[in-house]
């Protein structure tokens, strides 16, 4: 008897999703609660678990199809996977396979292996494999259930470039790519994922609906760097988490948002919604695009809890295991382009929020302090805001409070 696998409830106001990839093929053994497919929604990728143990049956929909909540996507058959008839046929000499059978089995096995490898790689990972010319079978995946991520491929390519030259092992996919004549120009068309389509729509909508403006300042990071250097080992020992820069900026932002409430508010119709709490959305890079999980009640949390939340979100974003609830709400956003080397940017707000703080890379620059030219570790920070709600004076004041708190972290302890 077959058990049906249906699209689960996806979250508030989310009624449909796209089949991102099949994690199990017909005939594969499946354990109870083992993921068999990945669904892409407007915000996250969600894995669909098997309700029972058995054998993967029919796939009722294909990769790329749009499915609604409650729709049938697959069946799970009773029993366990069985070997093919040729492999179970008794032989007079068990230690020796007939020549013809062995001859036919090798290409079939290679074909199956190639097919499985292709189907278990997401489109982004497949493109990275081709671009960097690496053999995916030699890379250990860091994603959920050991699956490869784009970052794994890039790291492997970098390691390959640093390693001494060696005789390459056969890699059919890479060989096919390298067979393209030198100098030939190619193009590839890949359908946008549902998440990427939504990101594009929301960001364009933010530009069209909000009166966006950005104000800048620069921050001397000396005090924060000194504090991290002095306390990072004790902090890690006590809290089992690394002390990063984001915790400082999150707490500094909380001070600013309390003093300038409009930066922590948003427009809804003809009303302004103010919040007496601070839920900070933190922009995190995930395999399928940028996601913004929320650190709830950041104003009530200490550095350790904030850093733990950020580390957990970063890990789950890479694995693709963030949930809709993780990204629901948020009153203010912090985006750190500095981790990718950005010197300066004008970030776009995350609707319906009215402001976003952009962080950038730290670099030594010559600055004037008390009439003398000195070298200090400096960072440009940017606050993009909706000018319909936030006046220039308020935006500049909020960014100045953040700057002062970072340059003198004691302010965060005594609420100045």
């Amino acid at each position: 008897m077959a058990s049906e696998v249906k699209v689960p409830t996806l979250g508030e106001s989310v009624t449909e999703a796209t089949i991102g990839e099949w994690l199990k093929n017909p005939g594969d053994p499946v354990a109870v609660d083992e993921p068999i497919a990945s669904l892409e929604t407007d915000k996250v990728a969600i894995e669909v678990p098997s309700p029972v143990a058995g054998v993967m049956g029919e796939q009722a929909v294909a990769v790329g199809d749009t499915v609604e909540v409650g729709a049938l996507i697959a069946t799970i058959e009773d029993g366990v996977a069985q070997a093919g008839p040729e492999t179970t046929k008794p032989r007079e000499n068990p230690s020796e396979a007939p020549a013809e059978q062995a001859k036919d089995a090798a290409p079939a096995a290679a074909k199956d292996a190639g097919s499985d490898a292709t189907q278990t790689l997401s489109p982004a990972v497949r493109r990275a494999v081709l671009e960097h010319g690496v053999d995916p079978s030699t890379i250990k995946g860091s994603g959920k259930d050991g699956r490869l991520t784009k970052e794994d491929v890039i790291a492997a390519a970098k390691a390959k470039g640093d390693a001494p030259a060696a005789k390459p092992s056969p890699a059919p996919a890479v060989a096919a790519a390298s067979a393209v004549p030198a100098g030939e120009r190619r193009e590839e068309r890949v359908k946008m994922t549902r998440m990427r389509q939504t990101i594009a729509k929301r960001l364009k909508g933010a530009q069209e609906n909000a009166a966006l403006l950005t104000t800048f300042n620069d921050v001397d990071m000396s005090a924060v760097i000194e504090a991290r250097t002095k306390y990072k080992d004790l902090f890690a020992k006590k809290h089992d988490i690394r002390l990063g820069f984001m915790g400082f900026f999150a707490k500094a932002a909380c001070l600013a948002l309390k003093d300038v409430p409009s930066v922590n508010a948003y427009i809804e119709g003809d009303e302004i919604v103010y919040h007496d709490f601070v839920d900070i959305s933190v922009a995190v890079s995930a395999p399928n695009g940028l996601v913004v999980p929320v650190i709830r009640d950041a104003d009530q949390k200490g550095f350790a809890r904030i850093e733990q939340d950020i580390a957990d979100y970063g890990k789950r974003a890479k694995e693709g295991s963030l949930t809709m609830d993780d990204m629901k709400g948020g009153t203010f956003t912090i985006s750190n382009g500095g981790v990718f080397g950005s010197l300066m940017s004008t970030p776009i707000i995350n609707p319906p929020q009215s402001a976003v703080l952009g962080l950038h890379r730290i670099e030594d620059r010559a600055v004037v302090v008390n009439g003398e030219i000195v070298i200090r570790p400096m960072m440009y920070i940017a606050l993009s805001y909706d000018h319909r709600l936030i006046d220039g004076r308020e935006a500049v004041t909020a960014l100045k409070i953040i700057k002062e708190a970072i340059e003198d972290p004691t302010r965060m302890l005594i609420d100045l």
Side-chain angles (χ1 to χ4, degrees):
M1 181 179 175
S3 297
E4 296 182 338
V5 182
K6 297 183 178 180
V7 178
T9 300
L10 301 172
E12 183 181 352
S13 77
V14 181
T15 59
E16 61 181 24
T18 301
I19 301 293
E21 63 177 315
W22 285 106
L23 307 178
K24 290 291 183 178
N25 295 316
D28 288 350
V30 179
V32 63
D33 291 333
E34 184 177 9
I36 64 166
S38 175
L39 300 179
E40 293 178 355
T41 71
D42 292 351
K43 296 182 179 180
V44 292
I46 298 174
E47 291 183 337
V48 181
S50 171
V52 296
V55 176
M56 184 69 181
E58 177 190 3
Q59 295 173 347
V61 289
V63 170
D65 286 355
T66 298
V67 291
E68 295 183 350
V69 172
L72 174 69
I73 61 171
T75 58
I76 304 296
E77 306 290 342
D78 292 340
V80 295
Q82 298 295 325
E86 288 192 358
T87 58
T88 56
K89 182 179 178 180
R91 297 193 297 269
E92 291 183 4
N93 184 355
S95 64
E96 235 178 72
E100 265 189 32
Q101 184 178 333
K103 180 179 176 183
D104 294 339
K111 181 179 178 183
D112 289 345
S115 173
D116 288 347
T118 300
Q119 291 187 16
T120 54
L121 299 182
S122 69
V125 173
R126 285 199 293 270
R127 285 197 301 276
V129 165
L130 291 175
E131 288 171 6
H132 295 281
V134 296
D135 181 0
S137 65
T138 64
I139 307 172
K140 183 177 180 181
S142 63
K144 186 149 184 169
D145 297 329
R147 292 202 297 279
L148 284 185
T149 67
K150 182 179 178 182
E151 289 76 13
D152 295 332
V153 175
I154 293 173
K158 185 177 185 301
K160 179 182 175 184
D162 295 340
K167 185 177 179 181
S169 57
V174 177
S178 60
V180 176
E184 181 177 334
R185 303 195 308 167
R186 297 179 297 158
E187 64 179 26
E188 179 186 8
R189 292 180 182 269
V190 178
K191 184 176 176 62
M192 292 175 69
T193 64
R194 177 175 290 271
M195 185 185 296
R196 176 52 60 186
Q197 291 178 46
T198 300
I199 291 172
K201 187 184 301 182
R202 285 173 63 85
L203 293 181
K204 186 59 180 173
Q207 290 182 316
E208 292 175 348
N209 299 324
L212 290 180
L213 190 63
T214 304
T215 183
F216 297 92
N217 214 319
D218 60 356
V219 178
D220 184 346
M221 298 293 291
S222 299
V224 167
I225 291 174
E226 182 182 350
R228 288 184 71 228
T229 302
K230 184 175 181 179
Y231 296 112
K232 64 180 182 181
D233 292 337
L234 288 172
F235 187 88
K237 183 177 180 180
K238 180 175 181 178
H239 301 291
D240 195 27
I241 192 69
R242 174 177 169 271
L243 177 59
F245 290 119
M246 189 63 81
F248 288 93
F249 278 100
K251 296 301 292 183
C254 289
L255 287 181
L257 300 180
K258 290 293 187 181
D259 283 359
V260 190
S262 61
V263 182
N264 194 44
Y266 59 76
I267 295 174
E268 191 174 85
D270 59 356
E271 297 179 330
I272 299 174
V273 181
Y274 292 96
H275 306 95
D276 66 352
F277 54 88
V278 178
D279 287 352
I280 297 180
S281 303
V282 181
V284 176
S285 181
N288 291 332
L290 196 69
V291 293
V292 279
V294 180
I295 302 173
R296 306 196 187 281
D297 297 314
D299 53 322
Q300 303 297 321
K301 292 180 177 177
F303 279 79
R305 181 60 188 275
I306 289 175
E307 293 290 356
Q308 287 166 352
D309 286 351
I310 292 170
D312 177 59
Y313 284 144
K315 178 175 179 292
R316 291 199 285 135
K318 188 175 181 180
E319 295 174 347
S321 60
L322 287 173
T323 67
M324 301 294 291
D325 286 340
D326 292 330
M327 285 173 285
K328 188 186 300 181
T331 61
F332 181 77
T333 294
I334 299 179
S335 177
N336 186 6
V339 296
F340 304 109
S342 172
L343 176 64
M344 188 180 291
S345 67
T346 55
I348 301 177
I349 63 173
N350 177 27
Q353 297 171 21
S354 298
V356 53
L357 175 67
L359 309 182
H360 303 91
R361 76 170 184 251
I362 302 169
E363 62 176 10
D364 288 341
R365 291 204 299 270
V367 295
V368 178
V369 178
N370 297 325
E372 295 184 352
I373 298 176
V374 295
I375 303 298
R376 293 290 172 84
M378 304 297 293
M379 176 196 286
Y380 289 116
I381 57 175
L383 185 75
S384 290
Y385 59 98
D386 188 347
H387 210 346
R388 296 177 303 164
L389 171 59
I390 303 168
D391 293 333
R393 177 184 60 83
E394 294 174 313
V396 171
T397 299
L399 196 60
K400 186 169 177 284
I401 291 172
I402 293 172
K403 168 185 169 69
E404 292 172 344
I406 294 298
E407 292 183 339
D408 182 7
T410 305
R411 287 173 171 268
M412 289 182 265
L413 298 177
I414 58 179
D415 194 18
L416 280 180

